[in-house]
Amino acid sequence: MTIANLSEESFKEILSANLTPSATIKTPERLYGRAKSLTQIERALASPGRQVFVYGDRGVGKTSLALTAAHLLTAAEHPPIYVVCDRDSTFGSVMQAIGNFVVNVEDRLELGGKPPSVSATFAGFGGGFQPGGKKTATIPTPTSINEAMDVIRYVREKLRGRLVIVVDEIERMESKRERETFAEFIKNIPELGDSTSFIFCGIGSTVDELIGNHPSAGRIIEAIQLERLRHNFLWEIIQGVADKLAVSVGNEALVRISQISDGFPHYVHLIGESMFWSAFDDPENVSSIRARHFKSGVEGALSRAEPVLRFQYQKATMKTRNTEDYEEALWSMADTTSDMRQVTEIYDSSYKRIMAKRGQRMPLPRDKFNHRLLALRGESHGRVLVGYGAGWFGYRENILKGYVRLRAESCGVQLGRDHVVPA
Ligand SMILES: Nc1ncnc2c1ncn2[C@@H]1O[C@H](COP(=O)(O)OP(=O)(O)OP(=O)(O)O)[C@@H](O)[C@H]1O
Ligand SMILES: [Mg+2]
């Protein structure tokens, strides 16, 4: 016990209540930097017939925003409905999942569960709940938009008051046609009345990319593009925990954490957790975070980062030859906040500096460096980079940049120095 007389129990409680690298956020106090987006959702859903679509980079905080808004706006008597799509999802299966939300899980899953009788509600829809082959009670999969509307009407009979339904990860649904059916459905949502609202979420750079271009759905949807979190909000995440633990965190650590995370809160939570644990485990009495705690934060974050990020990094760089070249190329590419960079600029302003820092390694000539970047677009390197032509490159998924920055940091190379410094 080395932080201000905190017991391990209280320390854990504070940490788990404030740092959640693997969990979404559902309350506005913990949702930093999204007040404007929350107001936008609140106002959009107050407008009759309007629905919301949140889109943006992977890991930027879409689900957290949608769930926080949904909890705020749904009547207190019941939680909002949350369904998530997968590769094989169809429009029908998603609508069925929404319907199943109001069917008792026991009725649905247990052998011999008694199917509730709701035939009347489903007039023209196959007569309501079907006891499945194993005598389970479940909402039948709607096969048309009208049937889907009936499912939502049934849900509305069960859940009174304001209801927000979140349909998440639309991008995972492989069938483009099924996704486009959502656009057709969206046109009809206003018929369900003003107390039922939908928030859709998906990874993408436009809504069209996710559900196609449907002019009438476009009139109904309020599209919210979620940007990466600004640095001051990333600092606030750490500062908020530090205040509760009664330890101080210097500007240097705050800046470095926000540089590494590049606007993706996952990394801030991850580094924060390991950093504060290391302070807690410190044999000395700790009242302020030191460089060694920050270093442990980086190492801990590296070993606990999402396995998929580690895998992508390894696939991109671990080759029989030139592994370090690929790493240095990826680091150079991740050196600024820009999502698109030109090879000459990457080479001159990032690669040369990084190689100078590396000391013992000889820099590649420019054409070879260019080849490394080109290779990183290929299948055998996990297609981690994309090429835009004329020597322009970007990361396929910006969230990987944070992991790349962690790797560089742990090898003594600081990236992302174009970030703002706190006042
Ligand atoms: N505004 C925020 N303030 C603090 N932390 C946040 C914020 N938004 C998200 N987070 C944290 O960031 C991480 C990612 O959040 P979330 O899962 O909501 O992102 P996402 O965009 O839905 O990700 P994915 O694209 O993988 O579905 C989580 O650890 C969450 O706790
Ligand atoms: Mg999500």
Side-chain angles (χ1 to χ4, degrees):
M1 192 186 70
T2 52
I3 296 182
N5 303 323
L6 269 182
S7 70
E8 182 156 345
E9 228 25 64
S10 330
F11 176 79
K12 269 190 201 155
E13 227 169 77
I14 294 173
L15 231 55
S16 66
N18 294 282
L19 294 175
T20 50
S22 317
T24 48
I25 288 168
K26 300 181 186 70
T27 53
E29 320 79 75
R30 292 213 37 232
L31 195 74
Y32 290 90
R34 300 300 191 203
K36 251 187 175 167
S37 310
L38 272 180
T39 308
Q40 193 182 352
I41 295 181
E42 213 172 313
R43 290 186 183 168
L45 297 185
S47 165
R50 207 142 177 86
Q51 315 300 322
V52 165
F53 207 122
V54 180
Y55 66 101
D57 272 342
R58 183 158 91 86
V60 80
K62 301 175 296 300
T63 307
S64 296
L65 173 66
L67 281 177
T68 304
H71 277 274
L72 280 176
L73 298 174
T74 292
E77 299 76 49
H78 50 79
I81 293 184
Y82 175 75
V83 292
V84 62
C85 305
D86 62 33
R87 266 181 57 175
D88 302 322
S89 291
T90 60
F91 170 72
S93 69
V94 171
M95 289 298 150
Q96 181 189 37
I98 294 173
N100 278 338
F101 194 86
V102 293
V103 183
N104 196 321
V105 176
E106 280 175 17
D107 285 342
R108 242 189 295 152
L109 301 181
E110 272 187 6
L111 278 179
K114 246 175 122 191
S117 156
V118 291
S119 309
T121 323
F122 284 107
F125 183 17
F129 283 109
Q130 308 282 331
K134 288 181 183 169
K135 276 195 184 165
T136 55
T138 178
I139 295 270
T141 312
T143 56
S144 67
I145 288 177
N146 281 332
E147 288 181 358
M149 297 285 281
D150 273 347
V151 171
I152 307 299
R153 285 191 192 104
Y154 173 66
V155 168
R156 293 320 336 252
E157 277 182 21
K158 295 276 171 184
L159 305 178
R160 297 289 168 171
R162 189 89 201 271
L163 174 67
V164 179
I165 301 172
V166 178
V167 180
D168 202 0
E169 304 193 10
I170 298 257
E171 82 288 342
R172 290 182 67 195
M173 200 182 284
E174 265 189 353
S175 162
K176 197 166 161 252
R177 206 168 140 243
E178 293 294 332
R179 278 198 244 151
E180 285 180 357
T181 311
F182 275 100
E184 290 292 322
F185 171 74
I186 286 168
K187 285 194 306 200
N188 295 286
I189 301 176
E191 307 308 320
L192 294 165
D194 294 337
S195 62
T196 310
S197 305
F198 279 77
I199 303 179
F200 298 93
C201 302
I203 298 174
S205 46
T206 62
V207 171
D208 290 1
E209 182 185 316
L210 288 159
I211 55 165
N213 178 9
H214 290 255
S216 21
R219 282 199 299 275
I220 286 167
I221 289 172
E222 176 110 358
I224 299 183
Q225 180 171 25
L226 212 55
E227 301 292 351
R228 284 178 256 175
L229 271 185
R230 294 230 316 271
H231 314 294
N232 51 319
F233 297 118
L234 300 169
W235 300 326
E236 279 180 29
I237 299 176
I238 295 291
Q239 199 61 65
V241 188
D243 290 348
K244 291 190 176 95
L245 296 173
V247 291
S248 65
V249 184
N251 275 1
E252 175 70 10
L254 289 179
V255 172
R256 301 260 294 265
I257 291 172
S258 73
Q259 281 174 345
I260 291 170
S261 71
D262 194 33
F264 289 93
H266 170 68
Y267 297 105
V268 178
H269 290 256
L270 211 54
I271 299 172
E273 260 188 358
S274 297
M275 183 176 84
F276 288 120
W277 266 116
S278 137
F280 186 81
D281 290 337
D282 200 310
E284 282 173 29
N285 213 12
V286 173
S287 58
S288 59
I289 294 295
R290 304 269 169 220
R292 61 180 182 277
H293 307 131
F294 168 75
K295 202 167 175 326
S296 296
V298 169
E299 295 308 325
L302 260 181
S303 64
R304 291 165 52 247
E306 238 189 89
V308 66
L309 296 165
R310 200 171 319 135
F311 175 77
Q312 281 177 358
Y313 187 90
Q314 281 172 357
K315 176 122 203 246
T317 58
M318 276 175 70
K319 302 290 151 192
T320 42
R321 289 186 307 146
N322 307 326
T323 289
E324 285 177 309
D325 284 1
Y326 291 117
E327 286 199 273
E328 287 148 1
L330 273 191
W331 296 357
S332 306
M333 193 54 223
D335 189 32
T336 71
T337 35
S338 315
D339 291 342
M340 273 170 79
R341 297 181 68 199
Q342 221 268 344
V343 62
T344 314
E345 188 263 322
I346 306 169
Y347 187 81
D348 288 340
S349 58
S350 298
Y351 183 66
K352 284 182 182 167
R353 179 183 70 79
I354 287 168
M355 294 315 281
K357 186 92 188 148
R358 296 283 268 166
Q360 78 287 14
R361 285 187 37 80
M362 279 293 290
L364 298 171
R366 221 204 76 167
D367 59 331
K368 270 241 166 97
F369 176 74
N370 194 22
H371 279 133
R372 299 288 181 259
L373 288 182
L374 287 169
L376 287 162
R377 299 172 319 167
E379 199 62 60
S380 60
H381 290 265
R383 298 164 65 234
V384 287
L385 297 188
V386 273
Y388 299 104
W392 286 85
F393 293 90
Y395 271 88
R396 184 171 299 281
E397 289 202 308
N398 284 319
I399 193 171
L400 185 63
K401 259 164 119 179
Y403 185 79
V404 170
R405 288 179 174 192
L406 274 172
R407 289 293 285 246
E409 180 83 34
S410 116
C411 296
V413 174
Q414 281 178 36
L415 303 178
R417 300 180 323 156
D418 58 335
H419 279 185
V420 208
V421 181

